[in-house]
Amino acid sequence: MTSPPVSGLDLKTLFPFELDDFQLQAIAALEAGRSVVVCAPTGSGKTLIGEYAIHRALARGRRVFYTTPLKALSNQKLRDFREQFGAEIVGLLTGDVSINRDAPILVMTTEIFRNMLYGTPIGEVGTSLIGVETVVLDECHYMNDRQRGTVWEESIIYCPPEIQLVALSATVANSDQLTDWIQQVHGPTELIYSDYRPVPLRFYFCNPKGLFPLLDDSQQRMNPRLKPKGGRGSVRGGNRRGPKQESPNLAYVLTQLQQRDMLPAIYFIFSRKGCDQAVAEVSKLPLSLVSEDEAARLRTQVDEFLARNPEVGRVDQIEPLYQGIAAHHAGILPAWKALIEELFQQGLIKVVFATETLAAGINMPARTTVISSLSKRTDLGHRLLNASEFLQMAGRAGRRGMDSLGHVVTVQTPFEGAREAAYLATVGADPLVSQFTPSYGMVLNLLQTHTLEEARELIERSFGQYLSTLYLRPQQEAIANLKTELAQIESQLEAVDWDLLNQYEKLQERLKEEKRLLKYLQDQAEEVRASDMPIALSFAVAGTTLSLKGKHIPVAHPLPAVLVAKVPGSGQFPYLICLGQDNRWYVASVSDVVSLRGEIPRLAEVDHLTPPAEMPHKPGQSRNGDEETRAIARRIPVIPSPLEEASEVVDQLQRLSVVQAQIEMHPVHQWGNRTTILKRQKRAAAIQEEIRDREEKLDRQSQRHWEEFLSLIDILQNFGCLDGLTPTITGQATAAIRGDNELWLGLSLMSGELDDLEPHHLAAACAALVTEVSRPDSWTRYDLSAEVEEALAGLRGIRRRLFQLQRKHQVVLPVWLEYELVGLVEQWAMGIDWLELCANTSLDEGDVVRILRRTLDFLSQIPHVPHVSSQLKIQAREAIALLDRFPVNEGVE
């Protein structure tokens, strides 16, 4: 299917078995000169591609760096490669351990590789990239790790483009994005994706009634037999009603596995205490998990180990181990864990109760994995496992070449059932997210060799920036669309003279005001007229001209009329009998008279008129006139409205007409519909505001890493680590350190406070600077000596100031200063026995080793930090010699 390698290597000789398609595709891509991202399930054979890169480099006289996220994994790879390629050509670098560092195959932690790319000294001799053909980034999905993820991104960004990268990752949802990003920042890269598992997985669900297939025949949905009655259960958790479900006990689950020949198993429990309790419980059961032969082999190997290392075996762990039962978690001594891993790989241990840390790449495949709970407690509370966590644990099931199927057993708990289990088994992997965060070390290392603009370019090449660009693309598109719309509106408004339009708007406002004033003056005039009318009418005589409009005379416009007679009314005022200009008779009340014109000569002809006899003398009554009245009606003059005759109203009407004329003659009418123009203007203003808002948010998001970088620069300048943008002596020292907060460590070393300490005191002081504050209930019976207390007290002012500046800049980096537990380190440096040391603390052995190893790691850096006092370097080397003894040392040779 795939053409043979151009390197001239015979694949059948290298790998005397049938290679999978994805392995052949990856080899072909490497031969074509491309880097590869190999994304495939756990246990599918990804490592073979890294091994091919090693064979090829050896054949060409070149080198390969093989990086892993954990020291334990690096140690395991060292053992594997020594066995496979020969001990003399394999080396190891893990910070505090350096073996055969110039070997053609050099195994290292990814962090060490990143430091090499920065040019940070590693040990006595700098390790060169000369001759390196390929760098293998094993467990590349560790980019998701909150604490360590940045290291992978930096390694990929800074790796020279001529070096091929082989990124080996478990299945993730966005492997295409990872590949595209590596192609952008490093060079031609090909995605090799496979969902093929050489040993397929089968999922089961265990409840008190038995062990059942979790999924239906399609393997896509929950087994219908497991559906809870009454529709109980929810994928995402939440408030569930109904009685709690029972959990099957440990003995029942193991019996089910043993009866179905599903051992050996890794049984995941999310607490150390839970793992230890499970070991104690199972070891007391009348269950025989190992054969007589296996029991004998176990006893021999365990006894030999204890004879070599009498201090490390806890009684509560030894007896269960003879029965093929063990625990594996961070609290267990690393040397003891290594023994457990070795015995498990031999098939002698039948069940390991482990926390999920075992799933992180250690080569311990089992026939079955049991996941005891589908949720776990985290810093943010209790939550359902995410898909990647579930798949990482499930992926340990199925041993290639030994099992035809891998079994994954999920267990019913009071809180989770088959629905949650089926969801996690079918949902697919989570995407990789970026954990990229600038650090003090990153800032100083970049500024030692790059300009600020170059540093910015490198920061903006991060996977986090790449993902931001993808996720912000809809926002960018929205801004582009808004700008297009704005341009169209602005072209439509191009002919508009905005000064003239503003003038027009002001005229409109003035017109509105003039109309309001006219109405006010008319109302005022009407009020005056209404109050004067009854008096005027009392003097009016027949023949007087007036106009009518009101409640009893419902006409559209005031009707000119002549008063013919007055008749008694129902109140104090008489009713008026009038002849209208329309030749009709009307009976009106005083309130129906709009105006009365006494100055117009009276019509004497009305003296001879007689109103119609049949017309009642009641307001609102009206009758048609005759020929006689018609002649008189024609002589009634048109009477102007009294409101129009009021001088102030007349003046106001003139002002109003001037404004109306200005508006009618205004040039704005040449530009089209003014309402449309104003709507467009309003829309343009709204778009401009929205663009501003969106661009601000986009800028904040896209510049996040750079803003953090600038904040770190400001803090470094405050502490004299940077003179402008040039690292000072203190800055150069800090740049050579790696840790959770390089600035804190650098300032501590350069402060002089540690210079005069004896080696055992220096060990304790260094432990205080790198030890994370443990649980509040942790204790030790060992107090710190006065010399260490005094040295640490001298650092408190620096620490306080660093805290204040970090808070001001919203920088979240730890500034450890642990007093309570580091007395252990001082005692160990003074030669105390291991068992006595552990008897005087509440910490598990694994935790004590971790504190001592972190201290060793920091101490091992001090001799290579520039500008640190020579006295401090000498004392650091002596402190290392005091601490680095079994069972603290790595146990590799």
Side-chain angles (χ1 to χ4, degrees), residues 827-833 880-889:
Q827 292 299 316
W828 181 247
M830 290 168 68
I832 195 171
D833 173 81
I880 291 166
L882 295 176
L883 295 184
D884 196 20
R885 63 186 200 273
F886 191 82
V888 175
N889 57 14

Side-chain angles (χ1 to χ4, degrees), residues 231-492:
R232 191 187 162 280
S234 157
V235 168
R236 290 288 183 190
N239 295 323
R240 303 192 185 98
R241 295 191 176 93
K244 284 187 176 180
Q245 305 165 119
E246 278 187 60
S247 301
N249 63 44
L250 204 51
Y252 181 76
V253 177
L254 281 180
T255 303
Q256 292 286 321
L257 298 182
Q258 191 176 34
Q259 287 173 355
R260 289 168 169 75
D261 193 24
M262 290 167 70
L263 296 176
I266 299 172
Y267 202 117
F268 287 106
I269 297 173
F270 299 132
S271 79
R272 299 178 188 184
K273 189 176 178 183
C275 291
D276 291 340
Q277 286 173 341
V279 168
E281 184 182 333
V282 174
S283 62
K284 291 173 187 159
L285 295 172
L287 268 176
S288 179
L289 299 180
V290 292
S291 66
E292 285 184 20
D293 175 57
E294 288 169 333
R297 287 169 61 199
L298 273 169
R299 188 167 290 276
T300 300
Q301 292 191 52
V302 173
D303 288 350
E304 285 176 0
F305 177 84
L306 292 172
R308 290 194 308 273
N309 310 297
E311 290 187 324
V312 304
R314 275 177 24 199
V315 178
D316 62 331
Q317 296 169 340
I318 297 168
E319 270 311 311
L321 199 53
Y322 289 145
Q323 301 171 49
I325 303 159
H328 188 291
H329 56 69
I332 289 173
L333 205 59
W336 188 253
K337 278 202 292 191
L339 173 67
I340 290 164
E341 289 163 16
E342 173 62 30
L343 295 173
F344 193 85
Q345 285 166 23
Q346 292 177 37
L348 296 176
I349 295 179
K350 302 303 177 183
V351 60
V352 170
F353 295 99
T355 53
E356 64 179 314
T357 52
L358 185 145
I362 300 292
N363 183 26
M364 274 182 69
R367 180 169 292 163
T368 300
T369 57
V370 182
I371 301 173
S372 65
S373 170
L374 298 175
S375 62
K376 67 174 184 178
R377 193 175 304 284
T378 69
D379 295 342
L380 303 173
H382 216 70
R383 65 161 173 82
L384 194 68
L385 296 176
N386 63 45
S388 292
E389 290 167 334
F390 181 84
L391 289 172
Q392 191 79 17
M393 288 183 280
R396 293 283 147 211
R399 298 165 298 177
R400 193 165 190 172
M402 296 175 69
D403 302 315
S404 58
L405 285 176
H407 308 293
V408 183
V409 177
T410 53
V411 180
Q412 181 166 287
T413 72
F415 309 104
E416 301 107 20
R419 192 182 298 277
E420 288 82 2
Y423 165 75
L424 286 169
T426 57
V427 72
D430 293 316
L432 272 184
V433 295
S434 173
Q435 302 294 348
F436 185 83
T437 310
S439 66
Y440 294 115
M442 182 192 296
V443 173
L444 289 166
N445 278 292
L446 284 178
L447 292 181
Q448 283 190 123
T449 52
H450 296 80
T451 65
L452 188 64
E453 205 44 54
E454 287 168 341
R456 179 171 189 161
E457 188 188 334
L458 287 167
I459 292 294
E460 290 178 347
R461 292 171 71 193
S462 73
F463 187 52
Q465 191 73 27
Y466 169 87
L467 289 177
S468 282
T469 303
L470 291 186
Y471 298 145
L472 296 174
R473 198 166 285 164
Q475 184 79 308
Q476 290 166 329
E477 286 171 0
I479 290 171
N481 291 338
L482 286 168
K483 285 183 174 176
T484 302
E485 186 185 348
L486 183 61
Q488 288 172 345
I489 292 173
E490 285 175 343
S491 71
Q492 291 166 343

Side-chain angles (χ1 to χ4, degrees), residues 539-545 562-566 577 602-604 606-607:
F539 292 103
V541 295
T544 301
T545 304
V562 61
L563 176 63
V564 175
K566 295 179 183 177
I577 298 174
R602 63 182 288 275
L603 291 175
V606 301
D607 293 343

Side-chain angles (χ1 to χ4, degrees), residues 784-802:
L784 274 180
S785 60
E787 293 89 339
V788 181
E789 289 260 15
E790 187 181 342
L792 296 180
L795 297 174
R796 280 188 195 145
I798 297 172
R799 186 171 185 250
R800 191 180 308 113
R801 195 169 144 226
L802 181 53

